[in-house]
Amino acid sequence: MLKELDREANNVVSLEDPIEYNIEGVNQSQVRPEIGYDFASGLRTILRQDPDIIMVGEIRDKETAAMAIHAALTGHLVLSTLHTNNAAGVVPRLVDMGVDPYLIAPTLLMVIGQRLVKKLCPDARKEKLLEGAFKEITQNELKNMPDEARKKIISSDKIYEGVSLPSCPMGRRGRMGIFEVFYKTPALESLILTKPSEQDILKESRKQGMITIKEDGLMKAFNGLISFDEFLKL
């Protein structure tokens, strides 16, 4: 996401632990808790440098969350990560940290849930007919999937598994992201003010047409990008 931003016109600053990738045009900073330079204190320092965009590696505590929201309220675009089981869990997690819902509602723009799965090698895979209990599992998922997503599935009768070839001994190479994304809408903003549960957020985001991580994984399994075994792990 940082690479997609305009890093020439904007002052982009990141606070990371550790810095895993060097990104051209981003002022990257490594936190050092042993000297008192943690996410919260680092963010406080960054805000004095007049940044346009801030990346906080992870929100781990109330102080960091409060500083990130303060930055968003004052006109900065803030990107960060938060450990939850899914995208819908972000709002309840922030509330559990002690952030007031009336501060979350106006600042939260978008939430992305992500898992990484192993990709099949295009030339080292074979088709397999979907049968029995596995077919029942997928049919139940397909029933709840938004129509637009269902149209992207090439075939819902075949799945794929990796085979060993000299060019790809494991049948799999590399990883790809499985995602679920929801955006803040007026309805969702009003819901956040009521301290909603994870299920409440999920129900509202599904009204937007959000595809869940499991559904995105199923689409990629049917389209031969990942094995059915990888989908079952989600």
Side-chain angles (χ1 to χ4, degrees):
M1 290 179 71
L2 285 174
K3 287 180 179 179
E4 293 298 315
L5 298 170
D6 185 348
R7 303 186 301 277
E8 293 185 8
N10 295 309
N11 178 15
V12 185
V13 184
S14 77
L15 193 60
E16 305 174 54
D17 183 25
I19 295 174
E20 296 181 17
Y21 304 98
N22 292 317
I23 304 174
E24 187 178 349
V26 177
N27 299 306
Q28 296 173 271
S29 179
Q30 167 76 52
V31 300
R32 301 272 309 261
E34 65 272 18
I35 62 170
Y37 186 63
D38 55 17
F39 282 116
S41 62
L43 189 50
R44 197 176 293 112
T45 303
I46 283 172
L47 286 171
R48 298 193 188 105
Q49 300 172 20
D50 193 27
D52 299 299
I53 300 167
I54 304 168
M55 168 65 193
V56 183
E58 184 183 344
I59 293 177
R60 297 174 179 170
D61 51 50
K62 180 181 178 180
E63 189 178 5
T64 307
M67 289 297 299
I69 284 179
H70 171 72
L73 280 170
T74 52
H76 304 87
L77 175 61
V78 181
L79 310 176
S80 190
T81 66
L82 198 63
H83 285 184
T84 61
N85 289 327
N86 51 37
V90 165
V91 174
R93 179 83 178 97
L94 287 171
V95 172
D96 287 344
M97 281 184 178
V99 181
D100 292 318
Y102 72 86
L103 293 175
I104 301 171
T107 54
L108 188 68
L109 297 178
M110 181 177 70
V111 178
I112 303 173
Q114 172 185 291
R115 303 275 178 87
L116 292 177
V117 293
K118 296 172 184 175
K119 290 194 298 183
L120 285 172
C121 294
D123 57 345
R125 66 183 186 184
K126 67 176 181 180
E127 292 182 0
K128 188 177 177 183
L129 195 62
L130 191 61
E131 299 177 304
F134 290 149
K135 187 165 188 175
E136 189 176 339
I137 291 170
T138 59
Q139 291 305 312
N140 288 335
E141 289 290 339
L142 286 169
K143 281 180 191 174
N144 299 318
M145 191 181 290
D147 292 337
E148 286 300 313
R150 203 181 297 117
K151 291 175 185 175
K152 296 178 183 178
I153 295 174
I154 298 170
S155 171
S156 59
D157 296 319
K158 299 173 187 174
I159 52 175
Y160 297 81
E161 60 183 26
V163 295
S164 181
L165 290 178
S167 61
C168 189
M170 301 296 293
R172 295 171 297 194
R173 182 179 290 126
R175 296 192 294 175
M176 70 186 310
I178 301 287
F179 304 100
E180 60 183 17
V181 183
F182 71 80
Y183 302 86
K184 184 182 71 176
T185 60
L188 190 56
E189 186 170 355
S190 298
L191 181 63
I192 291 172
L193 295 172
T194 67
K195 289 189 179 180
S197 67
E198 189 176 305
Q199 285 302 314
D200 294 332
I201 296 288
L202 180 59
K203 186 177 178 181
E204 180 56 40
S205 58
R206 291 291 276 175
K207 288 181 183 176
Q208 300 178 11
M210 183 187 81
I211 301 167
T212 66
I213 282 177
K214 203 157 190 179
E215 290 170 347
D216 191 29
L218 184 59
M219 288 167 61
K220 288 178 168 66
F222 278 143
N223 292 340
L225 300 175
I226 66 173
S227 70
F228 194 70
D229 287 342
E230 285 293 302
F231 159 70
L232 293 175
K233 292 176 186 176
L234 295 172

